[in-house]
Amino acid sequence: PDSQGDKETVRSTFLDEFEKNFVMSYKSNDDYINKIFSAEELQRNINAKTFPIEKIDDATFNSKIKEWKDAVYIDQIRNTEPSAPSPYNGNIFSDLDNHNEILISRLSEMQNKPYSISQLETYTTCPFKYFLERVLNLEVTEEPDEEIEAVEIGSILHAILFEFYTKIRDKNIILKNCTDKIFSIALELIFKIADKHTSEMTKKSPFAFYEEEKIFGINSKKENSLLYKFLMNERTDQTNRNPNYFEVSFGVKDNEHDELLYSDEPLNFENIQLRGKIDRIDVNKHDRTFEVIDYKSGSKKITKSEIEKGTSLQLPVYIWAVKTLLSNQLGDEYSPMAITIYNLKYKEDIFGKNSVSLGGRGANFNPTHVLNDLVDIALNHVKKSVENILAGNFPLTLFIADKEKVCRYCNY
């Protein structure tokens, strides 16, 4: 420029000398129209009508152009028609000319296999995740961790409570409103059982002492322990039901299950084989009612709307399983009264029972009707999920509004 503001600029002597030694020419933006300088730029302009792709004479680019065009086409389908039947939207059999025989074979094998409720929850939440985990059998390689995983702590607590409750059931001990003497007997027994189950845990990890302290008592005080809190909760429980069945399995072959109520074979719902294990069933034998309880060592909560959407199927399907097992094996008809998460996390504010809110109150409210409706809804989700799995439908999650909750901890 001849000036900068009010100041006149002086021509550089460097430019004068440069022009003496080189031939100068001028370029504008028009000189670069229809020119590509990188693979990335070519990909961005692959479908641009103003750019003559057919005139490219670079062999390296030509070999990739079809691949890039296909990728752009697939991306356009996913963005403009996300629900349209297409193998690129998760409907793997919609393209009749490109059936994968391996996938067909693998899906046909699923027709007669038993499904766990957690697997079907994965499908209803995100079919694509189910496809990766259960059809392609992808495994995530995780870094070794010396800390005790929440899953392992949960398994240890399950084992402790299973053995504890089956033993006091055999002795006809009832914790609810029990005397100090009975409470002391129960406290001694549960600590003895816990000591046996946690001995291996402390050998595996140098960090296990912290988890062990929570189980047995902070600062070596039993009153500060998770187990003591559990027994106190059981002693002061306000429901009219008592713990009666523990680790009730159906279609799960293992040694740790309740001998009073179980099934080696999966349960059949409209030709769909279902398997699972119910942590605990509290029963009122006089009223012939029951409550399904699921132990959790995390802070997970379940809502009625999640059951209705299909992202939480476990507890309502377990109601159906309990009714089926009690009817088939004991000839008894019982009615559900509650589905409950029993939080075993040490934190004071969330520890203990947290029943799923059913939206009703008052003396005339009958939870059985609502729970039976939720069971029907959940079983309908089960039926539709299996139909879609066998049909090869595995789209991305439909719960975009809940993406933070659905996708936050997903490995894929």
Side-chain angles (χ1 to χ4, degrees), residues 55-63 65:
K55 292 184 179 181
I56 294 178
D57 58 2
D58 188 308
T60 304
F61 280 161
N62 281 328
S63 64
I65 284 175

PDB file of all heavy atoms in Angstrom, residues 55-63 65:
ATOM      1  N   LYS A  55     -11.355 -35.300 -14.897  1.00  0.00           N
ATOM      2  CA  LYS A  55     -10.147 -34.815 -15.559  1.00  0.00           C
ATOM      3  C   LYS A  55      -8.876 -35.034 -14.730  1.00  0.00           C
ATOM      4  O   LYS A  55      -7.780 -34.703 -15.186  1.00  0.00           O
ATOM      5  CB  LYS A  55     -10.291 -33.328 -15.878  1.00  0.00           C
ATOM      6  CG  LYS A  55     -11.350 -33.038 -16.937  1.00  0.00           C
ATOM      7  CD  LYS A  55     -11.392 -31.568 -17.291  1.00  0.00           C
ATOM      8  CE  LYS A  55     -12.444 -31.304 -18.379  1.00  0.00           C
ATOM      9  NZ  LYS A  55     -12.487 -29.875 -18.746  1.00  0.00           N
ATOM     10  N   ILE A  56      -9.015 -35.586 -13.543  1.00  0.00           N
ATOM     11  CA  ILE A  56      -7.842 -35.845 -12.709  1.00  0.00           C
ATOM     12  C   ILE A  56      -7.012 -36.954 -13.350  1.00  0.00           C
ATOM     13  O   ILE A  56      -7.526 -38.023 -13.678  1.00  0.00           O
ATOM     14  CB  ILE A  56      -8.252 -36.253 -11.281  1.00  0.00           C
ATOM     15  CG1 ILE A  56      -8.943 -35.077 -10.571  1.00  0.00           C
ATOM     16  CG2 ILE A  56      -7.054 -36.719 -10.473  1.00  0.00           C
ATOM     17  CD1 ILE A  56      -9.426 -35.391  -9.187  1.00  0.00           C
ATOM     18  N   ASP A  57      -5.740 -36.707 -13.530  1.00  0.00           N
ATOM     19  CA  ASP A  57      -4.887 -37.720 -14.157  1.00  0.00           C
ATOM     20  C   ASP A  57      -3.818 -38.237 -13.198  1.00  0.00           C
ATOM     21  O   ASP A  57      -2.823 -38.812 -13.623  1.00  0.00           O
ATOM     22  CB  ASP A  57      -4.245 -37.159 -15.421  1.00  0.00           C
ATOM     23  CG  ASP A  57      -3.403 -35.904 -15.130  1.00  0.00           C
ATOM     24  OD1 ASP A  57      -3.311 -35.524 -13.942  1.00  0.00           O
ATOM     25  OD2 ASP A  57      -2.853 -35.328 -16.085  1.00  0.00           O
ATOM     26  N   ASP A  58      -4.062 -38.048 -11.920  1.00  0.00           N
ATOM     27  CA  ASP A  58      -3.131 -38.546 -10.895  1.00  0.00           C
ATOM     28  C   ASP A  58      -3.561 -39.956 -10.498  1.00  0.00           C
ATOM     29  O   ASP A  58      -4.637 -40.154  -9.927  1.00  0.00           O
ATOM     30  CB  ASP A  58      -3.138 -37.612  -9.679  1.00  0.00           C
ATOM     31  CG  ASP A  58      -2.046 -37.978  -8.681  1.00  0.00           C
ATOM     32  OD1 ASP A  58      -1.973 -39.162  -8.300  1.00  0.00           O
ATOM     33  OD2 ASP A  58      -1.282 -37.075  -8.271  1.00  0.00           O
ATOM     34  N   ALA A  59      -2.741 -40.957 -10.752  1.00  0.00           N
ATOM     35  CA  ALA A  59      -3.100 -42.359 -10.490  1.00  0.00           C
ATOM     36  C   ALA A  59      -3.340 -42.616  -9.006  1.00  0.00           C
ATOM     37  O   ALA A  59      -4.199 -43.420  -8.622  1.00  0.00           O
ATOM     38  CB  ALA A  59      -2.000 -43.280 -11.010  1.00  0.00           C
ATOM     39  N   THR A  60      -2.581 -41.947  -8.142  1.00  0.00           N
ATOM     40  CA  THR A  60      -2.731 -42.133  -6.693  1.00  0.00           C
ATOM     41  C   THR A  60      -4.122 -41.708  -6.246  1.00  0.00           C
ATOM     42  O   THR A  60      -4.792 -42.411  -5.473  1.00  0.00           O
ATOM     43  CB  THR A  60      -1.670 -41.320  -5.931  1.00  0.00           C
ATOM     44  OG1 THR A  60      -0.381 -41.689  -6.388  1.00  0.00           O
ATOM     45  CG2 THR A  60      -1.776 -41.567  -4.435  1.00  0.00           C
ATOM     46  N   PHE A  61      -4.602 -40.552  -6.756  1.00  0.00           N
ATOM     47  CA  PHE A  61      -5.927 -40.072  -6.388  1.00  0.00           C
ATOM     48  C   PHE A  61      -7.013 -40.909  -7.037  1.00  0.00           C
ATOM     49  O   PHE A  61      -8.030 -41.223  -6.433  1.00  0.00           O
ATOM     50  CB  PHE A  61      -6.089 -38.608  -6.788  1.00  0.00           C
ATOM     51  CG  PHE A  61      -5.451 -37.651  -5.820  1.00  0.00           C
ATOM     52  CD1 PHE A  61      -5.155 -36.344  -6.217  1.00  0.00           C
ATOM     53  CD2 PHE A  61      -5.146 -38.029  -4.526  1.00  0.00           C
ATOM     54  CE1 PHE A  61      -4.573 -35.449  -5.328  1.00  0.00           C
ATOM     55  CE2 PHE A  61      -4.566 -37.145  -3.640  1.00  0.00           C
ATOM     56  CZ  PHE A  61      -4.271 -35.861  -4.034  1.00  0.00           C
ATOM     57  N   ASN A  62      -6.821 -41.268  -8.301  1.00  0.00           N
ATOM     58  CA  ASN A  62      -7.847 -42.015  -9.024  1.00  0.00           C
ATOM     59  C   ASN A  62      -8.215 -43.314  -8.330  1.00  0.00           C
ATOM     60  O   ASN A  62      -9.364 -43.750  -8.348  1.00  0.00           O
ATOM     61  CB  ASN A  62      -7.383 -42.304 -10.457  1.00  0.00           C
ATOM     62  CG  ASN A  62      -7.542 -41.090 -11.362  1.00  0.00           C
ATOM     63  OD1 ASN A  62      -8.455 -40.312 -11.162  1.00  0.00           O
ATOM     64  ND2 ASN A  62      -6.655 -40.932 -12.335  1.00  0.00           N
ATOM     65  N   SER A  63      -7.253 -43.969  -7.725  1.00  0.00           N
ATOM     66  CA  SER A  63      -7.515 -45.242  -7.055  1.00  0.00           C
ATOM     67  C   SER A  63      -8.392 -45.069  -5.812  1.00  0.00           C
ATOM     68  O   SER A  63      -9.020 -46.010  -5.347  1.00  0.00           O
ATOM     69  CB  SER A  63      -6.190 -45.896  -6.659  1.00  0.00           C
ATOM     70  OG  SER A  63      -5.507 -45.104  -5.702  1.00  0.00           O
ATOM     71  N   ILE A  65     -10.730 -42.378  -5.488  1.00  0.00           N
ATOM     72  CA  ILE A  65     -11.918 -41.560  -5.732  1.00  0.00           C
ATOM     73  C   ILE A  65     -13.211 -42.341  -5.497  1.00  0.00           C
ATOM     74  O   ILE A  65     -14.147 -41.843  -4.868  1.00  0.00           O
ATOM     75  CB  ILE A  65     -11.874 -40.958  -7.150  1.00  0.00           C
ATOM     76  CG1 ILE A  65     -10.875 -39.796  -7.160  1.00  0.00           C
ATOM     77  CG2 ILE A  65     -13.256 -40.473  -7.578  1.00  0.00           C
ATOM     78  CD1 ILE A  65     -10.656 -39.188  -8.521  1.00  0.00           C
TER      79      ILE A  65
END
